[in-house]
């Protein structure tokens, strides 16, 4: 197999739960050798979510392409082992609160002494500076604090979170992107540096036209539910037998949409002539569209509209989406053999490489499964490994 983009890169991963493990999983998917350092009790996610044959599928889905080493970092011997592993690493990933690495004796100065070419990638809640730097963080709080939650829902429902932990995932994605950029910079002769991504700031960066308009006007957006905040018509509409999502995001697409419905004449009326007018009269326009759509079925409308170049689709349940033929064609659901735990189904690789397609090289590891192998590779002899295990430093 041709080397993957990050083949030969070694990552020492101190992260746990989700934001950091998502970052390190992405690096592992891209070919890096990710060594997951776990406390004797293991990552908390090992005990969360649905378990089959003793394995959390939640853990398995975010810790593939990693090797597990159990190491007690509260013990000075454990920290000494970690420092030795860091000497030939390229990247250290961590998602502790700011300052915890310093408390562990791994200040920026100490890390530079151990390995002057080490790139340190940190994921945290609010950033390492500012009045909230020391606050504990969680996805729900970051969704609320970023302004994101206030834009969801409707005036009647009040603010709503999104079901997936978006701030964790976006921060992890930014951290992985930052890690790759820092590697590229180092290879080009630049310095090794620290990369940081926080949950709150990462979420804020995704608010797009909502934040742009708020900055321009000083006015908060009004939550509009499934209707688009700045475009109309756009959203969910009712057919004869169910809802469809329709996104006529430009005037040409809108004209095709209304033509297909027999409503093109509406664009000649002052109340619907431009987007501002359509936003003001959204309720009336949506009612006219729903009345037209009620003349045919969901399936037929989706076929007709897409054939006319109007983006539309069904609101699928999650199980329907996972079984969708397009998802299958994109290999976005994988069956992964896990020795001792049967076969695990998980989402696949969203990044597609033409010459070096991503692959699952290792299923999510059992706790401490590679401790001996990793320490042996780092130069520890069998007697030393046995002593460290007897002392409870490794597992």
């Amino acid at each position: 197999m041709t080397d993957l983009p990050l083949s030969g890169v070694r990552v020492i991963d101190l992260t746990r739960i989700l934001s950091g493990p998502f970052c390190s999983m992405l690096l592992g998917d891209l070919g890096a050798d990710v060594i997951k350092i776990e406390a004797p009790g293991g990552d908390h996610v090992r005990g969360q979510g649905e378990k089959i044959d003793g394995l959390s599928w939640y853990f398995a889905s975010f810790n593939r392409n990693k090797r597990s080493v159990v190491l007690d970092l509260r013990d000075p011997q454990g920290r000494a082992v970690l420092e030795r592993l860091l000497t030939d690493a390229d990247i250290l990933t961590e998602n502790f609160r700011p300052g915890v690495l310093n408390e562990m004796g791994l200040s920026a100065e100490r890390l530079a002494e151990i390995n002057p070419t080490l790139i340190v990638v940190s994921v945290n809640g609010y950033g390492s500076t500012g009045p909230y730097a020391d606050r504990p963080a969680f996805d729900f709080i970051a969704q609320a604090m970023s302004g994101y939650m206030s834009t969801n829902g409707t005036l009647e429902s009040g603010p709503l979170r999104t079901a997936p932990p978006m701030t964790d995932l976006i921060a992890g994605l930014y951290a992985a992107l930052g890690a790759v950029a820092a590697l590229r910079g180092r290879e080009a002769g630049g310095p090794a540096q620290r990369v940081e991504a926080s949950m709150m700031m990462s979420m804020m960066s995704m608010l797009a036209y909502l934040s742009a308009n708020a900055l321009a006007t000083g006015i908060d957006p009004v939550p509009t539910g499934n209707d688009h905040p700045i475009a109309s018509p756009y959203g969910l509409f009712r057919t004869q037998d169910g809802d469809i999502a329709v996104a006529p995001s430009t005037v040409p697409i809108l004209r095709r949409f209304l033509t297909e419905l027999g409503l093109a004449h509406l664009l000649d009326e002052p109340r619907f002539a431009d987007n501002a007018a359509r936003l003001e009269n959204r309720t009336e326009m949506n009612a006219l569209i729903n009345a037209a759509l009620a003349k045919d079925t969901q399936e037929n409308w989706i076929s007709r509209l897409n054939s006319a170049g109007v983006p539309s689709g069904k609101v699928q349940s999650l199980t329907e989406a996972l079984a969708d033929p397009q998802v299958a064609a994109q290999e976005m659901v994988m069956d992964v053999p896990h020795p001792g735990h049967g076969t695990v189904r998980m989402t696949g690789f969203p990044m597609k490489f033409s010459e070096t397609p991503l692959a699952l090289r290792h299923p999510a590891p059992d706790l401490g499964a590679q401790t001996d192998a990793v320490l042996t590779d780092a130069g520890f002899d069998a007697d030393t490994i046995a002593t460290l295990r007897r002392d409870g430093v490794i597992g």
Side-chain angles (χ1 to χ4, degrees):
M1 176 179 172
T2 305
D3 283 347
L4 292 168
L6 295 185
S7 293
V9 172
R10 174 161 289 190
V11 178
I12 301 299
D13 180 23
L14 300 183
T15 67
R16 66 268 186 260
I17 312 296
L18 183 56
S19 59
F22 183 52
C23 165
S24 57
M25 183 201 78
L26 292 171
L27 298 176
D29 286 352
L30 289 166
D33 176 20
V34 178
I35 298 172
K36 183 178 178 71
I37 306 296
E38 299 188 70
D43 189 324
H44 292 301
V45 173
R46 287 186 180 273
Q48 296 180 350
E50 294 292 334
K51 289 185 178 180
I52 298 179
D53 292 328
L55 177 68
S56 161
W57 281 28
Y58 174 22
F59 178 84
S61 295
F62 286 93
N63 288 279
R64 65 194 183 201
N65 288 328
K66 303 179 186 180
R67 299 191 287 162
S68 173
V69 170
V70 170
L71 193 57
D72 185 357
L73 296 178
R74 296 170 300 180
D75 188 305
Q77 295 182 86
R79 292 194 293 274
V81 172
L82 174 61
E83 290 191 2
R84 189 154 168 185
L85 295 177
L86 289 171
T87 58
D88 62 352
D90 296 287
I91 298 171
L92 168 65
T93 55
E94 60 94 10
N95 62 342
F96 300 116
R97 271 193 279 174
V100 170
L101 277 185
N102 285 2
E103 294 168 8
M104 295 168 58
L106 294 174
S107 65
E109 295 74 20
R110 178 59 186 147
L111 289 171
E113 291 174 2
I114 295 167
N115 182 347
T117 66
L118 183 69
I119 292 165
V120 180
V121 177
S122 299
V123 186
N124 52 47
Y126 305 102
S128 58
T129 60
Y132 306 155
D134 293 332
R135 286 188 182 184
F138 199 72
D139 169 71
F140 183 61
I141 310 304
Q143 286 198 33
M145 293 287 290
S146 66
Y148 173 70
M149 196 182 297
S150 73
T151 68
N152 291 336
T154 64
L155 290 173
E156 292 72 28
S157 72
L160 292 175
R161 69 182 287 271
T162 52
M166 295 304 298
T167 69
D168 281 308
L169 299 171
I170 296 170
L173 186 61
Y174 273 137
L177 175 61
V180 172
L183 275 174
R184 174 67 182 89
R186 192 189 69 181
E187 290 171 356
Q193 59 185 308
R194 182 171 183 241
V195 175
E196 178 180 282
S198 74
M199 294 157 64
M200 179 179 174
M201 307 312 150
S202 294
M203 189 73 253
M204 288 187 75
S205 77
M206 293 287 177
L207 293 180
Y209 43 78
L210 296 169
S211 57
N213 286 357
L215 288 167
T217 66
I219 299 172
D220 286 321
V222 175
T224 55
N226 288 318
D227 289 321
H228 198 291
I230 62 172
S232 176
Y234 189 116
L236 279 188
F237 299 95
R238 176 57 56 90
T239 71
Q240 198 176 85
D241 58 351
D243 289 343
I244 59 171
V246 187
S249 58
T250 66
V251 172
I253 296 175
L254 174 59
R255 186 170 294 279
R256 292 199 293 269
F257 176 44
L258 295 179
T259 298
E260 196 68 26
L261 271 59
L263 298 176
H265 61 278
L266 293 180
L267 295 177
D268 297 325
E269 299 185 21
R271 57 184 174 154
F272 304 129
D274 58 30
N275 190 62
R278 290 191 294 272
L279 284 171
E280 184 176 350
N281 297 289
R282 189 198 315 256
T283 299
E284 188 178 357
M285 179 160 231
N286 285 359
L288 292 169
I289 290 170
N290 283 329
L293 288 171
K295 298 174 184 176
D296 206 344
T297 64
Q298 181 187 65
E299 182 178 354
N300 285 345
W301 277 121
I302 290 171
S303 176
R304 287 174 61 179
L305 292 175
N306 279 293
S307 295
V310 179
S312 64
K314 175 185 174 184
V315 179
Q316 300 192 113
S317 71
L318 182 53
T319 53
E320 285 177 321
L322 290 168
D324 190 288
Q326 183 65 24
V327 173
Q330 286 286 300
E331 300 179 331
M332 272 304 294
V333 173
M334 304 190 302
D335 290 322
V336 177
H338 273 250
H341 303 290
T343 297
V344 176
R345 304 201 83 201
M346 65 179 64
T347 52
F349 306 105
M351 292 181 284
K352 309 298 184 184
F353 288 75
S354 63
E355 305 304 319
T356 57
L358 305 189
L360 192 134
R361 307 184 317 283
H362 315 293
D366 287 339
L367 181 60
Q370 290 81 30
T371 299
D372 287 19
V374 170
L375 266 59
T376 298
D377 288 346
F380 291 87
D381 60 38
D383 289 341
T384 302
I385 293 172
T387 299
L388 290 170
R389 181 164 285 113
R390 183 195 64 212
D391 292 344
V393 177
I394 64 173

